[in-house]
Amino acid sequence: MENENHIPESQASKACTDVIDVAVIGAGPAGMTAALYAERAGFDAVMFERIAPGGQLATTEHVENYPGFPDGTSGFDLAFAMKQQADNFGAKTVNEEVVAVDVTSTPKKITTAFGSYEASCIIVATGARPRKLGVPLEDELAGKGVSYCATCDGNFFRGKTVVVVGGGNTAVADAIFLARLCEKVYLVHRRDRLRATAVYHKRLEACENVEILWNTQVRRLFADSGKLAGIEVENTAEHSAQKLPCEGVFVAVGNEPNVEFLQGALELEGGYVKADETGKTSAAGVFAAGDVRAKMLRQITTAVADGSVAAESAAEFLTL
Ligand SMILES: Cc1cc2nc3c(=O)[nH]c(=O)nc-3n(C[C@H](O)[C@H](O)[C@H](O)COP(=O)(O)OP(=O)(O)OC[C@H]3O[C@@H](n4cnc5c(N)ncnc54)[C@H](O)[C@@H]3O)c2cc1C
């Protein structure tokens, strides 16, 4: 995802010797939207990205719940279009990983693996990554039967047999959601009781096509013609194994927000950056947007909404 607004490493420090108005950390949907809005409000926006613009969206094969695309769209194409739109308004990208921030100084300081930068305000949009099962074939079958997002991919498994792995609120909510679409849902949980809050239990019990496998862990995934064909699970209490034929496995064992670089600079809530509906964090002039923010629903729609709100808050901070 390259174009003329990408700053090669060797030029990055030179191009950003001035204090950046709005430094956006992370160029996923939230960060790209924040940069677009900041530029349109008349401020210089520089996105810092450690891998490639697009974030999780760029790795999503097909997106069918982002409004405006009645037939769905490729995640990569949508990410590319978002990047182009931000670039068209003058947003810059520095392809460097942010390793530390100083949010107490004026201006604020951003340290990357290659240098340091100063910014009047910062938007943290570093997203999150789903925790994995850690079994062989998991990466190869991601998007080919293995999913980390029931809201995103559930519809692809209408009338099929699927497995949800996990026992917390997300796993149980996913099982209830998938029970409406799928013929059969196995809920594989490694303990003998759910961690999910009580309110979910009754709703789960009402789903006749959900079967809970207690004390059970996924050991292997099976593929056929490059797609998931089934899984092997082990009951650790009975020391027995069984194979479950299924077309989908939804891994709901938690997410890891990308907050390591903050090193305690901002208040967190459940590991995610605590920010109010305007994106304001515990530090003045620092805003959070997208999956990294403590919130209810982590989707592209909510990420872009957060990005626009955070940029508006940043603009207000810079103007007052
Ligand atoms: C497999 C999969 C399928 C999905 N399908 C859908 C779907 O169909 N519909 C839907 O609405 N949502 C879907 N989602 C969720 C959606 O992709 C996310 O909610 C959305 O991308 C969040 O955007 P974000 O900008 O907050 O974070 P991200 O997309 O995670 O982007 C964050 C960016 O920050 C960068 N970054 C992180 N740390 C640093 C650092 N220290 N320095 C510099 N850069 C950093 C990352 O490299 C990344 O590019 C899916 C997610 C996955 C994993």
Side-chain angles (χ1 to χ4, degrees):
M1 224 179 270
E2 295 262 340
N3 72 17
E4 69 274 12
N5 286 43
H6 163 80
I7 303 172
E9 273 158 24
S10 55
Q11 299 166 27
S13 303
K14 185 170 165 281
C16 300
T17 46
D18 294 340
V19 176
I20 301 162
D21 291 336
V22 184
V24 180
I25 308 178
M32 294 189 288
T33 308
L36 164 72
Y37 271 68
E39 286 285 347
R40 289 191 80 247
F43 298 101
D44 290 333
V46 176
M47 292 180 274
F48 291 84
E49 172 54 53
R50 67 177 174 188
I51 303 174
Q56 297 168 70
L57 173 58
T59 65
T60 305
E61 203 164 313
H62 193 69
V63 176
E64 49 170 39
N65 61 355
Y66 191 74
F69 298 92
D71 300 320
T73 182
S74 126
F76 183 86
D77 290 351
L78 182 56
F80 189 79
M82 285 185 187
K83 175 71 167 50
Q84 273 190 319
Q85 200 171 352
D87 289 352
N88 288 346
F89 285 97
K92 306 273 187 303
T93 307
V94 171
N95 272 113
E96 295 176 17
E97 175 167 12
V98 174
V99 293
V101 286
D102 180 354
V103 298
T104 56
S105 61
T106 308
K108 301 174 195 317
K109 289 193 175 50
I110 293 167
T111 307
T112 73
F114 297 97
S116 56
Y117 302 83
E118 292 183 326
S120 299
C121 68
I122 295 176
I123 295 177
V124 177
T126 45
R129 52 189 190 275
R131 254 186 231 139
K132 297 190 173 183
L133 290 173
V135 293
L137 285 183
E138 183 173 5
D139 287 342
E140 291 86 338
L141 293 173
K144 296 174 181 118
V146 175
S147 169
Y148 300 88
C149 179
T151 314
C152 313
D153 299 332
N155 195 45
F156 299 122
F157 296 88
R158 268 180 192 271
K160 310 226 157 111
T161 296
V162 299
V163 173
V164 175
V165 187
N169 284 345
T170 304
V172 174
D174 284 357
I176 294 166
F177 171 75
L178 291 165
R180 288 199 296 268
L181 304 172
C182 302
E183 188 181 331
K184 170 90 186 176
V185 178
Y186 292 101
L187 180 60
V188 168
H189 184 39
R190 63 189 170 135
R191 301 186 202 283
D192 60 0
R193 73 189 65 170
L194 296 169
R195 273 185 297 109
T197 38
V199 67
Y200 282 110
H201 293 209
K202 271 205 173 136
R203 287 169 56 198
L204 185 67
E205 278 163 22
C207 299
E208 288 174 0
N209 57 345
V210 176
E211 184 179 338
I212 306 177
L213 303 180
W214 303 107
N215 301 308
T216 301
Q217 297 192 18
V218 178
R219 291 297 180 218
R220 291 173 66 191
L221 305 177
F222 299 102
D224 186 16
S225 309
K227 285 186 174 171
L228 181 85
I231 66 170
E232 184 181 285
V233 291
E234 181 190 348
N235 184 312
T236 50
E238 294 168 5
H239 304 290
S240 60
Q242 66 170 311
K243 192 174 167 185
L244 298 175
C246 59
E247 276 115 326
V249 170
F250 289 86
V251 182
V253 294
N255 278 315
E256 299 276 3
N258 297 319
V259 293
E260 294 79 0
F261 71 100
L262 289 173
Q263 299 169 34
L266 299 178
E267 202 178 318
L268 304 180
E269 185 181 324
Y272 294 84
V273 177
K274 188 174 177 184
D276 66 15
E277 283 304 311
T278 68
K280 282 186 192 133
T281 67
S282 54
V286 182
F287 307 90
D291 279 14
V292 76
R293 184 168 85 86
K295 62 177 179 178
M296 184 196 154
L297 181 66
R298 295 191 171 83
Q299 289 280 275
I300 308 160
T301 48
T302 59
V304 299
D306 277 4
S308 56
V309 171
E312 283 298 299
S313 298
E316 193 176 281
F317 175 81
L318 292 172
T319 331
L320 291 178

